[in-house]
Amino acid sequence: MGFLSLSIWMPIVFGVLLLVVGKDENAGFVRAVALLGALCSFVVTLPLYINFEIGSAAMQFVEKAPWIGRFNIYYHLGVDGISMWFVLLTSFITVIVVLAGWEVITERVNQYMGAFLILSGLMIGVFSALDGMLFYVFFEATLIPMYLIIGVWGGPNKIYAAFKFFLYTLLGSLLTLVALIYLYIQARGSFDIATWHALPLTMQEQTLLFFAFFTAFAVKVPMWPVHTWLPDVHVEAPTGGSAVLAAIMLKLGAYGFLRFSMPIAPDASREWAWFIIALSLVAVVYVGLVAMVQQDMKKLVAYSSVAHMGFVTLGFFIFNELGISGGLVQMIAHGFVSAAMFLSIGVLYDRVHSRQIASYGGVVNTMPKFAAFALLFSMANCGLPGTAGFVGEWMVILGAVKYNFWIGFAAASALIFGAAYTLWMFKRVYLGAVANDDVKGLTDIGAREFTIMLLLALATLGMGLYPKVFTDVMDASVMQLLQQVSASKLQ
C-alpha cells in the first residue's frame, strides 16, 4: 500500500471506526479520535510533495491492482503536477473542519466527524484515480456523506437543500457515465484514462463526449446557469459543510475538465471554447453583481465562489500556459480563502445565531483579534496583491489578455465587483460603532478558533507571497496538457 492508498483509506477507516464505536456520551473521545485521524491523514499526504519529482509530467506514486477483472477495471492510482496539490489541500482542510466543529457540534458527534473523514478519503480518491470507472465511483460516492452533512446538521430548510444538491449533481453525472461506457467500448475494453487520451475520435464523437462531460462538471463547479443549487446549499449547510463544499468539492468539476474533457476531446474543446468562455464571463460579471445585493453573509460568499470559479474555467479554455496554471492556482487559493470566509461567518453565527449582515455592526470593537483575521481574508477574497487570492486571478487575466484583449479586460473589470461586495460586507459587519446588544456581548476568539484562523492566514499569505512552490510542481503537467489539447485527434 503506497502513500496514495494511505491518503484515501486512512481517513475512511477512521471515519468508519467513529461510526461504529463513537457515542455522544463519550464525545470528547470521539473528537480526539477524529482529530487524530485527520492529522494522520494529513501527515501521510506530505511525502507526496516531499518526494515529488518536479519537472516531470509523468504520473507519480502509481499503484495498480486488478479490481473487477471481468470488465478490465483496475484500482489504478497516481498523481501528477495537476492533481498533487488537491490531495494535500483536501487533507489540510479536513483538519481545519474537524477543529471548527469541536465545540459547535454536540449531537451525533461521531457521525458528523465520521462523515467528514470518509468524505475526505473519497475526494482524494477522485483526484488520484487513473481508471475511469474508479474515478466515477469516487466522484459519485462523495455525494453521500455531503448529503448527510447537509440533511442532518443543516439549517431549517436542510432537507430541501440536501435534495437539491443531490439531484442536481447526480442527474448531471448520468450522461458522464454513458460517455465513460462509450470510451470503454472504443478503447476495446479499457477504462484506463491515459488510453482514452490517445483515442482517435471524430468531431461528432468528441462533441458528444465534451457535452456529456460538461453536464457533470459544469454543475459541480458550478458554472452559470446551473449554479442555483449552491447558494441554497451553503445557507443551510453547517459551517464545516460549507467550508469543504467551497474549498474542495467545487474543484472536482474543474479538475474533471482537465482530466477528461480537454485531453479526450481536444478538437471539440477548442471548437466550443467560446461557449465556456462566455459562461465564465457571465459568472464573473453577473454573479458578482448578484453577490452585491445579498443580505445573508453566507449567500454573498456563495455567489462569490461562483464568480471566483468563473476565473478558473476561463483560464482553462483560453489554452495558454498562464491561463491553465492561473486556473489551477486560483483553485488552490480559493480553497484556502473560501474556507476561511465561511469559517469566519461560522464564528459569528455560533455566537449570535444570525447570518444577516443587518444583525451586526462594530464587531471590531468587541472582537479585535478576530476582526484582524477577517480583514485579511476579505482582502484575499478581493484579490489583494500579497495574498493567495491575487496570484491566480492575475495569471488568468494576463493569459486572457494574451488570448484576446477584450476578454481579459472584461475579466479584469469584474475584480471591481469582488472588491465592492466583499469590502461592503466587511464595513457593515465589522466597522463603526457597536450596533446592538448582541454585538456588545460578543467575546473574542479563543485558542481553538485562533489556531484555525492562524493556519488559514499562513496558507493565504504564504501562497500569495511565494506562489513558486505551487507553480513549479504543476508546470510540466500543464505543458503536457497543452500539447495534448493542441494536437488534433481527427481522423
Side-chain angles (χ1 to χ4, degrees), residues 57-387:
M59 288 292 171
Q60 302 182 38
F61 308 100
V62 174
E63 301 173 38
K64 189 172 184 179
W67 180 25
I68 305 174
R70 184 180 174 187
F71 298 105
N72 208 17
I73 300 173
Y74 284 85
Y75 175 76
H76 191 188
L77 305 174
V79 289
D80 61 359
I82 289 172
S83 54
M84 192 275 290
W85 278 115
F86 298 109
V87 175
L88 269 73
L89 177 67
T90 304
S91 60
F92 172 72
I93 294 296
T94 304
V95 175
I96 298 291
V97 166
V98 168
L99 284 171
W102 197 267
E103 295 172 2
V104 181
I105 304 300
T106 55
E107 295 180 357
R108 298 180 177 176
V109 180
N110 65 316
Q111 295 171 22
Y112 179 85
M113 297 296 185
F116 275 110
L117 287 169
I118 292 168
L119 179 60
S120 173
L122 295 174
M123 290 189 296
I124 290 173
V126 175
F127 293 123
S128 308
L130 299 182
D131 181 278
M133 189 50 65
L134 184 66
F135 172 90
Y136 188 78
V137 169
F138 279 130
F139 191 79
E140 293 303 294
T142 58
L143 299 183
I144 300 166
M146 182 52 80
Y147 173 80
L148 294 173
I149 287 164
I150 299 163
V152 176
W153 294 276
N157 293 321
K158 59 191 178 186
I159 304 300
Y160 164 77
F163 265 101
K164 192 171 185 179
F165 162 75
F166 196 88
L167 290 175
Y168 259 77
T169 47
L170 181 66
L171 290 173
S173 301
L174 291 177
L175 278 177
T176 297
L177 179 59
V178 175
L180 296 181
I181 294 169
Y182 180 80
L183 287 166
Y184 170 76
I185 295 167
Q186 293 299 108
R188 297 181 180 178
S190 174
F191 275 108
D192 183 60
I193 295 173
T195 302
W196 292 351
H197 289 178
L199 281 177
L201 299 165
T202 66
M203 190 64 189
Q204 184 180 17
E205 286 175 314
Q206 287 191 41
T207 302
L208 291 172
L209 287 168
F210 179 83
F211 281 103
F213 288 130
F214 175 82
T215 56
F217 302 145
V219 169
K220 204 81 162 187
V221 168
M223 296 180 70
W224 183 90
V226 288
H227 68 289
T228 55
W229 63 270
L230 188 69
D232 290 334
V233 170
H234 271 310
V235 165
E236 298 304 325
T239 301
S242 288
V244 167
L245 183 64
I248 304 160
M249 285 200 80
L250 304 190
K251 312 305 182 290
L252 302 181
Y255 174 75
F257 280 122
L258 296 180
R259 196 58 88 213
F260 289 87
S261 305
M262 292 164 67
I264 291 173
D267 300 286
S269 295
R270 293 194 302 272
E271 179 77 18
W272 291 96
W274 65 270
F275 176 66
I276 304 291
I277 289 169
L279 295 184
S280 301
L281 287 175
V282 171
V284 169
V285 178
Y286 166 72
V287 178
L289 290 170
V290 172
M292 289 178 71
V293 299
Q294 299 305 313
Q295 300 303 313
D296 184 305
M297 289 187 286
K298 260 197 169 185
K299 264 199 174 176
L300 188 149
V301 179
Y303 281 115
S304 165
S305 287
V306 177
H308 284 121
M309 290 303 291
F311 272 99
V312 172
T313 48
L314 172 64
F316 289 170
F317 282 87
I318 56 180
F319 301 121
N320 58 43
E321 188 182 358
L322 269 173
I324 294 177
S325 295
L328 284 167
V329 170
Q330 173 70 354
M331 285 164 72
I332 301 163
H334 182 257
F336 295 139
V337 176
S338 64
M341 292 291 286
F342 280 113
L343 290 168
S344 297
I345 294 168
V347 167
L348 293 174
Y349 182 80
D350 293 342
R351 288 159 168 78
V352 179
H353 301 293
S354 173
R355 292 183 302 267
Q356 296 299 310
I357 293 171
S359 301
Y360 299 92
V363 171
V364 69
N365 297 290
T366 49
M367 301 180 73
K369 284 190 284 189
F370 171 64
F373 282 119
L375 177 61
L376 169 64
F377 300 138
S378 297
M379 290 299 169
N381 203 48
C382 297
L384 182 76
T387 65

